[in-house]
């Protein structure tokens, strides 16, 4: 934020008064890009629920919450196999259109191997120009599911024109995979293209509620974000201690 008009005020003990230059917060165009590799069909810890099932629920949660905040945000959808392709290119604020796009998400039966993000970045950069012309900003939310296949790209950035967030769902580390190396590649890709502060969240726990928590954390607008390292949400819940002298008083901490 830019500050101007800083001046001291002796009447309040010399404390400075600040006035902030108004900043326009733009409506968002958001592209969800969902990894549809067979690893998206890995079961979560909830019986009968796959990663893709949880991703669909998480997207619907995000869209409904985002539109409750501002009904002028818009959404489009893409899938990632060997490379990215459009599922629904037209941006829309219509919830029914989102539901139809989510229902159309399906996984491939054969692994695509290493994912190339180049086309996703090209698609986003092209759409970002159109969004900018309408005084909007563009964001990509990539949901990636491969535990041993590092994504790559050959996208040359001349001007960072969109923001990128990543949710990475993976298996626990084991001799046959390398989720840390995949995570590092995703961080590198995010930092390469993201205009505003991009967030990345990962989980190998297989818990649907963890994905929903990540989705809620991504609701924050890119133009209003602090650095991810400074983000201290969600807060841990704690039971208030009983009054002093009460027998059997305990403090219970519940981690998310």
């Amino acid at each position: 934020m830019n500050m101007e008009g800083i001046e001291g005020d002796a009447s309040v003990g010399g404390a400075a008064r600040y006035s902030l230059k108004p900043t326009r917060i733009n409506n968002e165009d958001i592209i969800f890009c969902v990894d549809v590799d067979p690893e998206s069909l890995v079961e979560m810890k909830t019986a009968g629920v796959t990663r893709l099932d949880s991703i669909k629920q998480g997207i619907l949660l995000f869209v409904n919450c985002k539109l409750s905040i501002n009904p002028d945000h818009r959404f489009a959808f893409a899938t990632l196999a060997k490379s990215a392709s459009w599922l629904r290119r037209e941006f829309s604020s219509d919830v029914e259109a989102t539901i139809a796009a989510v229902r159309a998400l399906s996984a491939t039966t054969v692994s695509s191997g290493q994912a190339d993000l180049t086309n996703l970045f090209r698609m986003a950069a092209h759409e970002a120009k159109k969004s900018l012309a309408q005084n909007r900003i563009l964001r990509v939310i990539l949901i990636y599911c491969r535990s041993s296949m590092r994504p790559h790209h050959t996208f040359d950035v001349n001007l960072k024109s969109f923001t990128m967030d990543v949710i990475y769902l993976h298996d626990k580390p084991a001799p046959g995979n390398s989720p840390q190396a995949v995570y590092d590649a995703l961080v590198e890709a995010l930092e390469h293209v993201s205009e505003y502060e991009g967030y990345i969240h990962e989980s190998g726990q297989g818990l649907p509620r963890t994905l929903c928590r990540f989705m809620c954390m991504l609701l924050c607008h890119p133009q209003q974000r602090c650095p991810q390292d400074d983000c201290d949400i969600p807060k841990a819940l704690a039971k208030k201690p009983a009054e002093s002298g009460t027998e059997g008083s305990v403090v219970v901490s519940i981690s998310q």
Side-chain angles (χ1 to χ4, degrees):
M1 291 185 180
N2 294 323
M3 293 189 293
E4 63 179 5
I6 302 175
E7 59 183 64
D9 187 347
S11 64
V12 289
R17 293 187 303 180
Y18 300 92
S19 60
L20 299 180
K21 184 178 180 179
T23 302
R24 179 185 177 88
I25 303 301
N26 301 87
N27 296 329
E28 286 193 82
D29 288 337
I30 298 174
I31 301 173
F32 280 101
C33 183
V34 179
D35 186 1
V36 292
D37 188 82
E39 287 190 66
S40 66
L41 296 179
V42 171
E43 279 205 4
M44 307 287 275
K45 287 191 175 179
T46 301
V49 176
T50 67
R51 287 173 180 163
L52 187 58
D53 293 330
S54 295
I55 290 167
K56 290 180 178 182
Q57 290 298 317
I59 290 174
L60 293 177
L61 170 68
F62 181 97
V63 170
N64 277 283
C65 291
K66 195 71 173 173
L67 293 178
S68 295
I69 298 169
N70 181 351
D72 291 325
H73 294 310
R74 305 186 305 193
F75 307 92
F77 296 87
T79 57
L80 179 67
K82 185 68 174 178
S83 64
S85 58
W86 286 110
L87 179 65
R88 195 196 71 194
R89 185 171 184 173
E90 180 184 358
F91 287 93
S92 174
S93 301
D94 181 60
V95 174
E96 292 302 320
T98 292
I99 293 173
V102 167
R103 285 176 175 169
L105 283 169
S106 60
T108 59
T109 56
V110 179
S111 176
S112 304
Q114 191 175 27
D116 187 346
L117 301 179
T118 305
N119 196 44
L120 173 63
F121 296 160
R122 287 174 179 165
M123 291 158 53
H126 178 75
E127 296 299 324
K129 292 179 182 178
K130 295 191 287 185
S131 297
L132 181 61
Q134 302 173 55
N135 293 318
R136 307 176 68 90
I137 64 170
L138 188 126
R139 177 166 36 140
V140 172
I141 299 179
L142 171 64
I143 307 175
Y144 194 77
C145 299
R146 304 177 210 190
S147 298
S148 58
M149 293 294 179
R150 295 179 49 163
H152 68 100
H153 67 86
T154 56
F155 186 69
D156 183 21
V157 175
N158 293 318
L159 176 65
K160 293 182 177 181
S161 58
F162 61 91
T163 301
M164 181 177 174
D165 292 327
V166 177
I167 293 178
Y168 179 34
L169 304 178
H170 57 83
D171 298 336
K172 291 184 180 298
N177 63 30
S178 52
Q180 182 63 57
V182 175
Y183 176 83
D184 292 343
L186 290 168
V187 171
E188 182 181 352
L190 182 153
E191 293 177 344
H192 184 72
V193 299
S194 197
E195 177 184 13
Y196 295 102
E197 177 76 9
Y199 287 175
I200 180 167
H201 299 289
E202 58 80 27
S203 176
Q205 298 176 344
L207 297 173
R209 69 172 179 268
T210 300
L211 174 61
C212 288
R213 186 174 76 241
F214 291 161
M215 284 293 191
C216 291
M217 294 173 72
L218 294 186
L219 288 170
C220 53
H221 196 288
Q223 291 176 300
Q224 297 175 304
R225 291 179 173 181
C226 65
Q228 186 170 357
D229 289 344
D230 297 335
C231 189
D232 61 350
I233 55 174
K235 299 283 190 181
L237 301 178
K239 184 177 180 180
K240 185 178 179 181
E243 292 294 333
S244 178
T246 303
E247 293 184 4
S249 61
V250 294
V251 177
V252 179
S253 294
I254 307 171
S255 63
Q256 293 298 314

